[in-house]
Amino acid sequence: MSDMSYPTKEESQFMNVQGGEKKVMKKILSVALSTAMAFSMFASVAFGETATTPQAKFDALAAKGILNGYPDGQAHLEKDLTRAEFAKIVTKLFGLTEVTGKLSYKDKGYTASNWAVPYIEAVTAAGYMQGQDTVKGIFNYNGKVTVQEVAAVLFRALKLEQPSTTDNSASAWAKGYAQAVINAGLVAKDINFKTNATRSLVVETAYAVDQKTVAPTLTVASAEAVSPTKVVVTFSDKTTANVDLTTALVAGVETPVTFKHLEKEYTVKVTLQAPKVVSVTAPNSKQVVVKFNRAIDPDTLVETNTLIEGVVKVTEVGKTVDVAKDAKVVISDDATQATISLDGNTFLKGNYTVVVNDTIKTTAGEAIPAFTQLLPVADTVAPTVVSVSSVAKTTTNKVYVKLSEPVKTAGLIAYVNGASASVSRDTYQPLDEVTLTTNTLNSGTSYDVSLTNLSDYAGNLATPNPVKTTVTVTSDVQAPVVQKVTAIGDKTVEVVFNKAVDYNSLVGNVRLLDANGESKGVFTINTTSDTKTFKLTSPLGSLPSTGTFSGSIVFGATVRDTIGNNLGTAVTQPITFNKDTVAPTVTGVTYKSGSGLVVKFSEEVKAVAGVTGLTLIKDSTGVGVTLNSTPVATSKDGKSLTFATPAGVVGAHTLRLPEGLVIDASFAKNKLAATSVAVTGSSTSSDSDRPKVTSIVYGTPTTNDYIVEVTVSDNSGVSVASLMDVNSYTMDSKALPAGSYITLNTAADNATTRIAYLHIPKSTISETKDYKFLANGVADTAGNGAEAHNEVAIKLYDTVAPKLNSAAVSSTDSAVLIVTFSENVKDIQKDDLQFRINDKLVSPLTFDKVGNSTDKWYVTFNKKDIDASASAGAQDLNANNINTITVKVKENDPTTGYENSIKDIEGNKIATFNEVSGK
């Protein structure tokens, strides 16, 4: 577990300087007192209200007992501070015990009755303060403190950095201290540092220190186990801390975790959730976002920014085409979210089945269970401009537009300052960004930008049309910076710059030197999907016999960023290559329809010619097929090889890879050990016949459920898993109602005809009508999806009893009370409802339905029923004498034989005899 520390009081001791003249000693001691004063004050106001004036700040400190006013009740902030005042403040700040019965100094008036003695003796005993004149034993408790002495103590106590240049009025010995506190924003630059420090100045300075350095009292707001060995704790101030565990958590077991944060020990209880897919959403018609509850290993989902085929399938209901094939993927910084952007002009509209298979793993190597979800997509939101930017050294012709979602470049018309601009999207640009190329734009100048026909892939057009905004060309004259150089194996170096760098400026311009400064040649430059990151291949032909090469990489002075800023001078970075003795391993295998088996390795590899024994074995039969060991495709990063298969892979298989099938890219050419791996993921078959949904009919209902029978047939057998999945069916183009479940007939698992019984809870049907059913996700045992078929309408009946919902005085006629039911009702009599006005039972004057609707009723009341002295007519329900109106469903009365007659259209009798307030 991590041990996070924060400086405590005990660690923030004042520094004492020994030796020197009395004058210097006086300064040092006075400075120490100033720091005590400052620190006591900022510690005291840390949790009080924010003060804005010197007096308010003084009052906040005085309320804590740290400062005192004068006998006249005033703060006298214009006065100077004394050493005695400092002694008291230091004592309180550090929680020192006041010392009585001891007199260490010979100052006049320094007696047991002096109010300051217990504090002076306390700080003396602690070693925080001492006399100004150690020979005569004088403390000088009425001595004054200068601003530069205050600065010196703040410098030491806050451990500020010594500035290289100074520009202030302090004495030579204090200039560095003064400049440090100026730079820290604690004291104004133009103040006279040689003058005495007023109470006002020290209060202001202390308050500034408080705002910058006080550590608040924290409580734990929440704690989450994000991996078996990592807990993220969120505190009351919304800051977070990562706690690394030495013992891995067990999923599902609540475990106490103790750790230190800011020198305080905390204990939290956490439960590691099993890894899972949290949700799948479509924020727009072009993207699918998959969220996980744990950080995932990107290599199990993505290969060179492209989705590994079959890992996440997105298929439209009733179809089999995976629209996520070749999609681009962006993994979030915390690796818990994958944003999948569909390739080309493909976009989402309608209902889709999303299947996340079980080959995705967490960063801890745990498999994430498969996940299936029905995803309806109806994008009706138009895109908006998020930001517009342009960067240049002096001039540029590029403007970059960031949008709220992916947009089509075709048909988009752009103008920059009235001049037509071409619209494009670079290879590495995200779909929600476009580049405008126009005439010359000058750094520091603002330009108008106009976008006409800005549309997303669903056809939503931005309004107004055109969209108009402005852009200011930002000046960038800074040279690129090499942020990181990392040796990968014994041949490759990964270099990361702080911004995009021109590839051509690197070619032939990056050299390798040995420890003696002798050139060993130039690196080969390889691009990545990130324009800031490059892979460099070493010019070495071999490593020394020691197995280690130490030298340096030299980046030429003309290496430049993409807008033309050169390094200016050559940049040298140390590098060490060590002999690579680690053999490659297989990290996963997937079946890619039409291509073959894609084998992913732990590092860059190369197939070895002539090696035989690559065998694919069908688990159910044990029959093996020898595959050609020459790969038909190699990924850009060299970590994945594709091997052809003679036919479709159906069901569970095992792939046996022989020893030495591949070697890594190291000088040692480490070879693969013999390995056997289970083949999972998508599969196809020589069986290309799709199953058929032969009927969807109304079945015999149970007490609680309606039953819909779905019959499916296939020549090779219907997949039981697909029949049992509630996401395989839709009702009125939506997922089945909550609580629905599936049962099957008793046929054998490999039956060519199966019947699925869809149990629809009657309690979820609140309207009698024809509901359209579709079996969209049913498949056969070979993985073929069902043939498209028409939706079948089945009438389901409302069995939900009606309910009195509300009563309210009409906004257009205050004599009318509008009574509303949860649905249309019939057979209602006015006596089925009880009306009370001012808690008096009254009968309606009129009782009528509203128009053709029978879920709303108009009710009026006679004035005389409420006030016998009133004239006849409808009562104004907003009158001053009307305080309460209640409406209640009259309950059945077996003794009189009364039965409430209110029913819904289907004949369901009202069952909830509730009461509502109308005023």
Side-chain angles (χ1 to χ4, degrees):
M1 287 178 282
S2 63
D3 183 1
M4 292 154 285
S5 62
Y6 188 88
T8 63
K9 292 179 180 178
E10 288 74 19
E11 293 169 337
S12 301
Q13 304 298 319
F14 297 127
M15 299 178 64
N16 291 319
V17 180
Q18 303 298 324
E21 297 179 354
K22 292 180 182 179
K23 182 177 180 181
V24 175
M25 182 59 71
K26 288 180 181 180
K27 290 180 179 178
I28 293 169
L29 290 173
S30 186
V31 169
L33 286 171
S34 301
T35 296
M37 175 71 171
F39 269 71
S40 64
M41 287 188 290
F42 81 71
S44 303
V45 301
F47 310 109
E49 296 180 0
T50 302
T52 57
T53 66
Q55 181 63 51
K57 295 171 186 178
F58 175 88
D59 292 342
L61 301 175
K64 298 291 185 178
I66 304 301
L67 290 177
N68 293 327
Y70 279 75
D72 62 1
Q74 301 300 311
H76 286 293
L77 297 178
E78 76 284 358
K79 292 182 177 292
D80 299 334
L81 291 162
T82 69
R83 290 168 56 81
E85 291 169 337
F86 274 111
K88 178 180 178 180
I89 292 166
V90 171
T91 300
K92 290 184 174 293
L93 170 63
F94 293 106
L96 303 178
T97 302
E98 297 174 22
V99 178
T100 58
K102 186 177 181 180
L103 297 172
S104 300
Y105 299 103
K106 299 177 181 179
D107 297 63
K108 184 178 180 180
Y110 193 81
T111 64
S113 61
N114 188 321
W115 68 268
V117 166
Y119 306 122
I120 294 171
E121 293 295 339
V123 295
T124 299
Y128 292 172
M129 297 174 63
Q130 62 183 14
Q132 284 190 346
D133 190 332
T134 56
V135 175
K136 295 181 179 181
I138 302 299
F139 184 81
N140 189 20
Y141 57 83
N142 284 323
K144 306 296 183 180
V145 180
T146 64
V147 179
Q148 60 191 14
E149 290 167 345
V150 170
V153 171
L154 291 179
F155 171 85
R156 294 164 183 157
L158 297 177
K159 297 181 175 64
L160 301 178
E161 293 290 334
Q162 182 78 35
S164 57
T165 59
T166 60
D167 181 16
N168 58 70
S169 62
S171 301
W173 67 269
K175 279 191 176 292
Y177 305 141
Q179 195 64 46
V181 295
I182 290 171
N183 295 346
L186 303 177
V187 177
K189 175 184 176 181
D190 56 358
I191 196 167
N192 185 350
F193 279 86
K194 297 177 182 178
T195 61
N196 290 339
T198 64
R199 291 162 65 87
S200 175
L201 178 138
V202 176
V203 167
E204 290 280 6
T205 302
Y207 211 83
V209 172
D210 167 52
Q211 300 303 307
K212 289 178 176 292
T213 64
V214 173
T217 298
L218 298 178
T219 58
V220 173
S222 64
E224 180 185 6
V226 296
S227 79
T229 57
K230 183 178 181 180
V231 174
V232 175
V233 181
T234 302
F235 294 95
S236 52
D237 64 350
K238 299 183 180 180
T239 60
T240 60
N242 295 327
V243 181
D244 297 318
L245 309 179
T246 54
T247 302
L249 297 171
V250 178
V253 178
E254 186 179 63
T255 306
V257 174
T258 301
F259 65 98
K260 271 189 174 182
H261 180 66
L262 304 185
E263 283 302 298
K264 181 180 177 182
E265 189 171 273
Y266 297 85
T267 298
V268 295
K269 291 183 177 180
V270 294
T271 301
L272 178 67
Q273 300 296 321
K276 66 178 181 179
V277 176
V278 175
S279 65
V280 175
T281 57
N284 52 68
S285 64
K286 192 67 175 176
Q287 294 176 313
V288 173
V289 177
V290 183
K291 291 185 178 180
F292 305 87
N293 69 337
R294 302 268 279 281
I296 65 165
D297 177 2
D299 285 346
T300 62
L301 178 68
V302 181
E303 185 175 288
T304 58
N305 290 340
T306 302
L307 180 68
I308 297 174
E309 185 175 343
V311 175
V312 179
K313 280 187 172 182
V314 181
T315 55
E316 189 174 1
V317 167
K319 299 181 180 180
T320 59
V321 176
D322 178 12
V323 298
K325 184 179 179 181
D326 299 325
K328 300 300 179 185
V329 183
V330 175
I331 306 294
S332 62
D333 291 341
D334 63 359
T336 61
Q337 178 173 300
T339 300
I340 301 170
S341 300
L342 305 187
D343 188 47
N345 290 319
T346 303
F347 68 94
L348 305 171
K349 184 178 182 181
N351 293 312
Y352 293 80
T353 300
V354 180
V355 178
V356 183
N357 74 19
D358 59 2
T359 60
I360 300 176
K361 295 182 179 180
T362 67
T363 51
E366 303 159 288
I368 296 177
F371 178 87
T372 302
Q373 180 178 313
L374 183 69
L375 183 65
V377 184
D379 183 1
T380 59
V381 179
T384 58
V385 175
V386 174
S387 63
V388 185
S389 61
S390 181
V391 181
K393 185 177 181 180
T394 53
T395 62
T396 184
N397 63 348
K398 304 288 186 184
V399 174
Y400 302 95
V401 183
K402 182 74 173 177
L403 301 141
S404 59
E405 61 176 304
V407 299
K408 294 185 289 188
T409 56
L412 177 57
I413 301 171
Y415 291 90
V416 178
N417 233 40
S420 177
S422 63
V423 181
S424 63
R425 185 179 290 119
D426 297 340
T427 304
Y428 300 124
Q429 271 186 296
L431 293 176
D432 58 1
E433 185 176 294
V434 295
T435 299
L436 311 183
T437 304
T438 184
N439 299 330
T440 300
L441 306 176
N442 297 312
S443 174
T445 305
S446 296
Y447 299 91
D448 294 327
V449 176
S450 171
L451 300 170
T452 303
N453 301 331
L454 179 62
S455 170
D456 63 16
Y457 283 83
N460 299 303
L461 188 65
T463 56
N465 187 23
V467 175
K468 294 184 178 182
T469 184
T470 60
V471 63
T472 300
V473 182
T474 304
S475 174
D476 180 3
V477 295
Q478 300 299 315
V481 175
V482 178
Q483 288 187 319
K484 186 170 64 172
V485 174
T486 307
I488 302 174
D490 53 17
K491 278 188 176 181
T492 307
V493 177
E494 181 181 78
V495 179
V496 180
F497 292 89
N498 68 327
K499 53 180 168 177
V501 166
D502 183 354
Y503 164 81
N504 292 317
S505 72
L506 291 168
V507 176
N509 205 10
V510 184
R511 294 177 296 130
L512 177 65
L513 306 182
D514 63 16
N516 298 319
E518 182 181 343
S519 177
K520 309 305 289 185
V522 296
F523 284 89
T524 301
I525 313 298
N526 301 294
T527 59
T528 68
S529 57
D530 178 4
T531 54
K532 300 177 184 179
T533 305
F534 297 85
K535 294 287 183 66
L536 313 182
T537 302
S538 163
L540 295 175
S542 62
L543 290 181
S545 57
T546 59
T548 299
F549 174 91
S550 292
S552 56
I553 302 176
V554 180
F555 298 87
T558 55
V559 170
R560 60 183 177 274
D561 61 22
T562 52
I563 61 174
N565 293 304
N566 293 334
L567 288 179
T569 58
V571 173
T572 302
Q573 293 282 329
I575 191 70
T576 298
F577 292 111
N578 292 306
K579 184 178 181 180
D580 182 356
T581 60
V582 179
T585 59
V586 176
T587 59
V589 180
T590 56
Y591 177 71
K592 192 172 183 179
S593 176
S595 299
L597 294 171
V598 181
V599 183
K600 195 171 187 65
F601 297 91
S602 58
E603 58 181 308
E604 181 182 353
V605 296
K606 182 171 66 173
V608 178
V611 176
T612 59
L614 181 63
T615 307
L616 182 65
I617 305 168
K618 188 169 185 177
D619 292 353
S620 60
T621 63
V623 176
V625 177
T626 300
L627 306 181
N628 190 331
S629 61
T630 301
V632 295
T634 302
S635 64
K636 184 177 180 180
D637 62 5
K639 291 184 177 181
S640 295
L641 303 180
T642 302
F643 298 94
T645 56
V649 178
V650 182
H653 285 69
T654 298
L655 180 65
R656 181 188 179 279
L657 297 92
E659 179 182 0
L661 177 70
V662 298
I663 57 174
D664 64 17
S666 69
F667 288 119
K669 299 180 180 179
N670 300 299
K671 61 184 180 180
L672 178 75
T675 307
S676 293
V677 186
V679 177
T680 58
S682 60
S683 62
T684 59
S685 168
S686 56
D687 171 18
S688 59
D689 292 337
R690 297 183 182 181
K692 295 181 175 62
V693 178
T694 57
S695 70
I696 299 179
V697 297
Y698 184 78
T700 303
T702 66
T703 302
N704 298 317
D705 301 328
Y706 287 118
I707 305 296
V708 176
E709 298 181 3
V710 180
T711 304
V712 183
S713 63
D714 182 77
N715 63 322
S716 62
V718 183
S719 165
V720 170
S722 70
L723 287 174
M724 292 292 291
D725 188 351
V726 293
N727 291 320
S728 293
Y729 312 91
T730 59
M731 183 172 119
D732 276 359
S733 299
K734 300 177 182 177
L736 297 184
S740 300
Y741 65 97
I742 316 295
T743 59
L744 302 180
N745 64 342
T746 56
D749 285 351
N750 62 349
T752 57
T753 299
R754 293 300 302 259
I755 300 175
Y757 301 102
L758 279 57
H759 295 250
I760 312 297
K762 290 180 179 178
S763 60
T764 62
I765 306 301
S766 59
E767 181 183 3
T768 298
K769 69 170 190 175
D770 288 337
Y771 292 88
K772 295 180 180 180
F773 284 84
L774 184 70
N776 53 71
V778 176
D780 62 16
T781 54
N784 298 304
E787 283 187 354
H789 64 95
N790 295 326
E791 291 179 311
V792 176
I794 294 177
K795 193 168 190 175
L796 300 182
Y797 295 86
D798 170 17
T799 62
V800 179
K803 177 183 177 182
L804 174 62
N805 265 5
S806 64
V809 178
S810 171
S811 60
T812 57
D813 186 349
S814 61
V816 174
L817 182 72
I818 302 177
V819 177
T820 306
F821 292 87
S822 58
E823 57 181 308
N824 288 327
V825 295
K826 65 179 182 179
D827 298 338
I828 184 172
Q829 305 296 322
K830 65 180 181 180
D831 292 339
D832 290 328
L833 298 175
Q834 291 180 335
F835 299 91
R836 290 182 182 273
I837 297 180
N838 293 344
D839 207 29
K840 179 181 180 181
L841 189 66
V842 295
S843 295
L845 177 65
T846 61
F847 187 84
D848 300 298
K849 65 180 180 180
V850 179
N852 295 323
S853 172
T854 58
D855 66 334
K856 288 185 176 66
W857 295 76
Y858 283 162
V859 187
T860 63
F861 302 93
N862 196 327
K863 291 181 182 178
K864 295 184 70 64
D865 289 339
I866 298 161
D867 181 359
S869 63
S871 59
Q875 172 68 47
D876 181 357
L877 299 177
N878 284 336
N880 292 333
N881 65 325
I882 305 300
N883 299 316
T884 61
I885 303 173
T886 59
V887 184
K888 182 179 181 181
V889 177
K890 190 174 180 180
E891 298 186 27
N892 297 330
D893 188 350
T895 60
T896 63
Y898 168 76
E899 186 174 351
N900 198 300
S901 62
I902 301 175
K903 306 179 186 67
D904 65 14
I905 303 303
E906 306 309 319
N908 299 301
K909 292 185 177 181
I910 198 162
T912 304
F913 300 100
N914 59 311
E915 181 178 278
V916 297
S917 175
K919 190 171 183 180

